[in-house]
């Protein structure tokens, strides 16, 4: 299973109020959609249900599936995102 977590932190300050938002997403590659019969004018997929990287992150092999041998771009990409916003009102004593 190939999962990648992306986190973006944003902090804005103005007029004493502080707002902070955090966006996190998990990217997951699932079934392979490569059409192996395209040259014949047909449609056939290999049945690979989930991308499993051949190598470690940061290597060229990480882009190829150990189960079917296809490039990661042939696998359907799912992104699960989470947004958290924290608001701190201005302190009236300052």
């Amino acid at each position: 299973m190939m999962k990648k977590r992306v986190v973006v932190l944003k902090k804005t300050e103005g007029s004493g109020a502080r707002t902070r938002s955090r966006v996190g997403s998990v990217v997951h590659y699932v079934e392979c959609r490569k059409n192996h019969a395209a040259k014949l004018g047909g449609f056939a997929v290999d049945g690979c249900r989930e991308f499993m990287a051949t190598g470690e992150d940061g290597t060229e092999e990480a882009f190829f599936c150990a189960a079917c041998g296809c490039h990661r771009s042939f696998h359907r990409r799912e992104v699960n995102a989470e947004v958290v916003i924290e608001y701190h009102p201005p302190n009236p004593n300052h």
Side-chain angles (χ1 to χ4, degrees), residues 1-90:
M1 176 186 320
M2 175 78 170
K3 287 189 177 183
K4 184 184 241 185
R5 183 161 175 80
V6 179
V7 177
V8 177
L9 293 176
K10 178 182 172 187
K11 185 176 180 181
T12 56
E13 292 186 33
S15 68
R18 291 185 306 150
T19 302
R20 192 168 167 184
S21 62
R22 181 179 56 206
V23 179
S25 63
V26 176
V27 178
H28 182 72
Y29 294 91
V30 288
E31 77 270 359
C32 184
R33 293 185 168 181
K34 183 175 181 180
N35 183 1
H36 294 276
K39 290 181 182 179
L40 304 173
F43 182 77
V45 292
D46 58 16
C48 180
R49 303 295 297 157
E50 185 173 358
F51 178 82
M52 293 181 290
T54 302
E56 296 295 318
D57 279 348
T59 65
E60 190 174 315
E61 292 82 22
F63 293 104
F64 294 94
C65 183
C68 67
C70 294
H71 191 273
R72 186 176 74 184
S73 64
F74 285 107
H75 289 258
R76 185 170 60 85
R77 181 179 179 189
E78 287 184 342
V79 179
N80 299 322
E82 175 184 283
V83 178
V84 177
I85 298 175
E86 298 173 14
Y87 174 73
H88 302 282

